[in-house]
Amino acid sequence: MQKKNTKRVNKSQPKEKKFIYKDNMKLSEVAEGLDISSAALIKKLINLGIMSNVNQVLERDVVELIVDDYGYTFEVEKITDLTRYDEIEIKEDPKDLVSRPAIVTVMGHVDHGKTTLLDTIRKTRVAQGEAGGITQHIGAYQVKRKGSVITFIDTPGHAAFTEMRARGAKVTDIVILVVAADDGVMPQTIEAIDHAKAAKVPLIVAVNKIDKPTANPERVMTALSERGVLAEVWGGDVPFVNVSALKNQGIDDLLDVVELVAEIAELKANPNRLAIGTVIESRLDRGRGPVATIIIEQGTLKVGDNFVIGTTFGRIRTIHDDLGRQQKQAKPSQPVEITGLNDVPMAGDMLMVFPDERTARQIAEERAYRERENQLKGKRRTLDSLFGDMEAAEKELNLIIKADVQGSTEALTGLLEKIDIEGFHCNIIRSNVGAITENDIILAEASNAIVIGFNVRPTAAVRALAEEKGIEIRLYSVIYKVQEDIIAALEGMLEPEMEEQIIGQAEVRNIFKISKIGTIAGCYVTDGVIERDSLVRVIRDSIVVYEGKLSSLKRFKDDARSVRAGYECGIGIQNYNDIKVGDIIEASKMKEVE
């Protein structure tokens, strides 16, 4: 029988020894790792209120607690480095790569004909005699024409596209922007352009509803050129195609342009490797359990493959294509619906196939554990932390600018785009007039951006959303202060933020004009304290009429350092004599914010 080693149960002992945690450890294995008897560990657990036996699998949290109590450092057995999304780097040998179909997302303003366009393309394919017909909607489908294939993602507007990008998915190769020829550029059109630019994917503009009498495609081209989307015919790099989704006009021309853009992009993948893909949508099916629509990016997905999606793992039970037909495998750029998951994943999560179930399970569990820890810690992107993050892969600071007038947005954009310090530069994702909105916060999350507000303020709801998403909003009223802060952040020398704090108010009750000195206000301090070195504002009928500094503060004839509420005092203001009875003098100080 194994003897108790009482010397080891010494909490003051420094943490020199490591305990390697493996998946699903039994009590006997934990005891062996700690070099104590199973009986001693059972007794320890009883003291903690946990009843157990030698063959019982202990939860990770319990093992961690026990290990720490015995003076060991806790480490997870590392069988792979792919436990974090940001550790995934896919490198392929160029000789293994073959051409793959383009993946296209259709975006645009509501009612501009996105759904009609997708339906027309879909019907054209079915009319060409493909067997089976559309038996189910899986959020993506393929069109075969002239020997080539195009994959279309049918997303409900750009919100889903944004959410996927927020989770790191880069699944789209080309964006088709649908703009109604009779309506022109609308708010959601501008948002779609911002998202496409932020994702750095080629753009094709489909000018829809060309059959309408009020159609004016020239106006659309002009409006989009003002937004930085310049048509090829005007010397730009964005193809414009006139279509009528309803009358099936120009659809072939549009698909020809998609194929041309895809050909220029030289899209390639390696089909002879373990599959990697992205979740387009997911749901819980009553009969089949968790179901996910995946677009394969690399490799070939096969029935029976062990996989991880985010914090979910499983084994591929069935694969169905976009026509509802059962398949044994799926190739790059192919959209398929899979079953065999242990939970419903999130849109934008990456699917990765691994050689065995044990590896897949451990990666999923380790990711889930890290995710819980990150949620507890809270991770925020701020100007203060920007330069400290020396592991930043891209030397680029993404910014969203919202200002009170167009002139301000142009001035700010011009100033910030010129900044280039140690290879860092500013990337303006959105720059327009108006209040900071929830859409700005969602775009900031997707693009890892900071929101700059110039003479505008967010509502409480927008502030709450920014707080929840960990997005920093910085508010300014001086243009050059924005530039200074960004430069200071990029140089890693951002000074502590200064915040104005109101410390007191005084009411003017008498006026004394003194030669060679000027006007002195006889005041009564109604709130807080007035200090000699305060900054002051003169407020008349709730409007600020002057801002400056105190020139003097007196109690009777003596100089005073401060005067508190309930006392009278004499106040002189530097370079200002137009004080009137009834004015309010508000005192404030600048204070560092930690």
Side-chain angles (χ1 to χ4, degrees):
M1 186 175 169
Q2 197 176 359
K3 290 182 181 179
K4 289 184 185 178
N5 191 344
T6 51
K7 287 181 183 176
R8 293 189 183 276
V9 192
N10 181 2
K11 294 180 189 178
S12 63
Q13 186 178 331
K15 294 187 178 181
E16 296 169 341
K17 298 181 181 179
K18 291 180 182 175
F19 177 89
I20 306 300
Y21 174 79
K22 297 172 186 173
D23 211 17
N24 297 322
M25 287 187 85
K26 293 179 182 175
L27 184 144
S28 55
E29 293 170 332
V30 175
E32 191 180 334
L34 293 169
D35 199 14
I36 60 171
S37 69
S38 296
L41 186 53
I42 289 170
K43 189 176 176 184
K44 182 83 175 171
L45 289 167
I46 289 170
N47 289 337
L48 292 170
I50 301 167
M51 303 302 291
S52 55
N53 59 57
V54 288
N55 293 318
Q56 188 166 326
V57 173
L58 297 180
E59 288 184 13
R60 174 174 169 155
D61 293 345
V62 173
V63 176
E64 210 165 335
L65 183 71
I66 295 291
V67 166
D68 186 59
D69 209 39
Y70 276 88
Y72 283 66
T73 52
F74 182 92
E75 284 192 9
V76 179
E77 181 191 30
K78 204 166 188 179
I79 56 172
T80 177
D81 286 335
L82 298 175
T83 50
R84 274 177 26 199
Y85 302 102
D86 53 3
E87 288 171 352
I88 296 167
E89 190 179 351
I90 302 154
K91 288 185 179 176
E92 299 291 347
D93 192 327
K95 68 176 186 288
D96 296 330
L97 300 176
V98 297
S99 293
R100 64 170 177 83
I103 301 165
V104 181
T105 300
V106 180
M107 298 168 80
H109 191 75
V110 67
D111 295 332
H112 276 205
K114 297 193 302 287
T115 308
T116 313
L117 179 65
L118 285 161
D119 284 347
T120 305
I121 294 168
R122 192 190 277 123
K123 282 171 189 168
T124 306
R125 177 188 64 160
V126 176
Q128 287 169 351
E130 283 205 20
I134 307 294
T135 56
Q136 64 197 77
H137 170 66
I138 71 162
Y141 60 89
Q142 289 190 318
V143 173
K144 292 176 182 155
R145 62 191 301 271
K146 299 178 185 175
S148 66
V149 178
I150 305 167
T151 301
F152 284 89
I153 300 176
D154 185 1
T155 59
H158 50 261
F161 181 80
T162 310
E163 286 301 320
M164 283 170 57
R165 283 199 51 247
R167 299 187 62 75
K170 309 257 190 310
V171 73
T172 303
D173 299 314
I174 300 166
V175 167
I176 293 178
L177 178 66
V178 180
V179 187
D182 59 338
D183 241 4
V185 174
M186 303 292 276
Q188 282 179 299
T189 315
I190 296 159
E191 284 183 15
I193 293 166
D194 291 339
H195 289 302
K197 281 182 178 174
K200 295 179 180 173
V201 292
L203 194 65
I204 298 170
V205 176
V207 184
N208 193 23
K209 305 186 183 182
I210 205 74
D211 55 305
K212 287 199 168 185
T214 52
N216 188 348
E218 288 284 322
R219 191 183 66 168
V220 172
M221 289 170 79
T222 306
L224 286 174
S225 67
E226 290 168 4
R227 293 281 167 187
V229 179
L230 194 61
E232 282 181 338
V233 293
W234 288 1
D237 58 356
V238 180
F240 277 61
V241 184
N242 292 342
V243 300
S244 169
L246 203 62
K247 299 282 175 72
N248 200 359
Q249 291 172 13
I251 303 300
D252 276 336
D253 295 339
L254 179 63
L255 296 178
D256 285 341
V257 171
V258 170
E259 285 181 354
L260 183 63
V261 172
E263 198 177 314
I264 293 165
E266 294 185 338
L267 305 167
K268 295 190 174 184
N270 175 11
N272 303 312
R273 56 153 293 154
L274 295 174
I276 292 170
T278 301
V279 177
I280 301 301
E281 58 184 29
S282 57
R283 68 182 194 279
L284 190 62
D285 187 285
R286 280 189 180 182
R288 299 183 295 162
V291 175
T293 300
I294 309 282
I295 286 192
I296 308 302
E297 291 173 44
Q298 296 281 350
T300 301
L301 186 70
K302 303 181 185 78
V303 172
D305 279 350
N306 294 293
F307 65 89
V308 174
I309 303 177
T311 57
T312 303
F313 66 95
R315 193 174 185 197
I316 303 290
R317 198 162 64 234
T318 63
I319 298 175
H320 285 87
D321 67 10
D322 54 332
L323 291 166
R325 300 173 300 197
Q326 197 154 330
Q327 304 288 340
K328 288 187 177 176
Q329 60 180 36
K331 298 277 185 186
S333 293
Q334 189 177 346
V336 289
E337 194 172 73
I338 61 164
T339 62
L341 302 94
N342 74 335
D343 201 356
V344 179
M346 293 181 73
D349 275 345
M350 183 180 273
L351 170 139
M352 295 190 79
V353 170
F354 290 95
D356 59 88
E357 187 189 352
R358 181 168 172 261
T359 308
R361 180 193 290 271
Q362 183 169 359
I363 288 168
E365 288 180 355
E366 180 65 17
R367 280 184 181 173
Y369 186 78
R370 284 196 193 189
E371 205 165 273
R372 284 200 305 273
E373 280 192 331
N374 286 339
Q375 282 170 357
L376 289 172
K377 288 176 190 171
K379 197 175 179 184
R380 298 188 65 180
R381 166 96 161 177
T382 65
L383 275 185
D384 303 319
S385 67
L386 169 74
F387 203 82
D389 184 10
M390 295 309 290
E391 293 177 8
E394 293 180 16
K395 291 198 167 189
E396 190 171 74
L397 173 59
N398 291 334
L399 297 173
I400 291 170
I401 295 171
K402 298 302 288 279
D404 53 345
V405 291
Q406 189 63 40
S408 300
T409 63
E410 288 168 5
L412 275 169
T413 303
L415 276 175
L416 297 176
E417 283 180 340
K418 287 175 189 168
I419 295 172
D420 190 359
I421 294 166
E422 294 188 24
F424 269 90
H425 66 278
C426 295
N427 177 28
I428 312 296
I429 287 170
R430 174 180 289 170
S431 169
N432 57 19
V433 173
I436 298 167
T437 65
E438 292 184 2
N439 283 331
D440 295 321
I441 304 303
I442 291 166
L443 179 58
E445 184 193 21
S447 312
N448 200 15
I450 289 163
V451 180
I452 303 287
F454 184 78
N455 280 342
V456 294
R457 291 291 183 272
T459 63
V462 171
R463 276 186 192 277
L465 181 67
E467 191 72 31
E468 181 193 329
K469 301 279 187 188
I471 302 301
E472 185 180 22
I473 300 174
R474 290 183 84 90
L475 305 171
Y476 297 90
S477 56
V478 179
I479 280 185
Y480 292 102
K481 182 67 180 144
V482 185
Q483 187 187 29
E484 283 170 14
D485 270 12
I486 299 295
I487 289 171
L490 294 179
E491 289 176 343
M493 300 184 299
L494 188 64
E495 291 176 12
E497 194 176 331
M498 302 298 287
E499 186 176 82
E500 184 185 18
Q501 289 192 340
I502 292 158
I503 58 170
Q505 279 192 342
E507 184 186 332
V508 179
R509 295 190 171 176
N510 283 303
I511 300 294
F512 305 99
K513 294 192 184 287
I514 301 169
S515 59
K516 295 184 182 178
I517 293 176
T519 304
I520 299 293
C523 300
Y524 177 79
V525 182
T526 56
D527 185 43
V529 62
I530 308 293
E531 294 182 357
R532 176 70 183 80
D533 55 353
S534 304
L535 300 168
V536 292
R537 286 189 183 88
V538 179
I539 301 169
R540 190 172 298 152
D541 299 326
S542 299
I543 294 167
V544 178
V545 293
Y546 184 77
E547 291 187 27
K549 290 183 177 179
L550 289 181
S551 60
S552 63
L553 179 66
K554 292 182 181 286
R555 278 276 294 147
F556 304 110
K557 291 184 179 179
D558 301 321
D559 286 326
R561 291 185 64 182
S562 64
V563 180
R564 299 198 164 274
Y567 290 93
E568 293 179 337
C569 61
I571 291 176
I573 299 174
Q574 281 182 16
N575 308 319
Y576 188 72
N577 292 315
D578 188 27
I579 304 171
K580 291 183 168 53
V581 173
D583 286 353
I584 301 293
I585 295 174
E586 182 181 80
S588 61
K589 295 194 94 168
M590 299 304 286
K591 193 176 180 183
E592 270 188 20
V593 178
E594 290 296 326

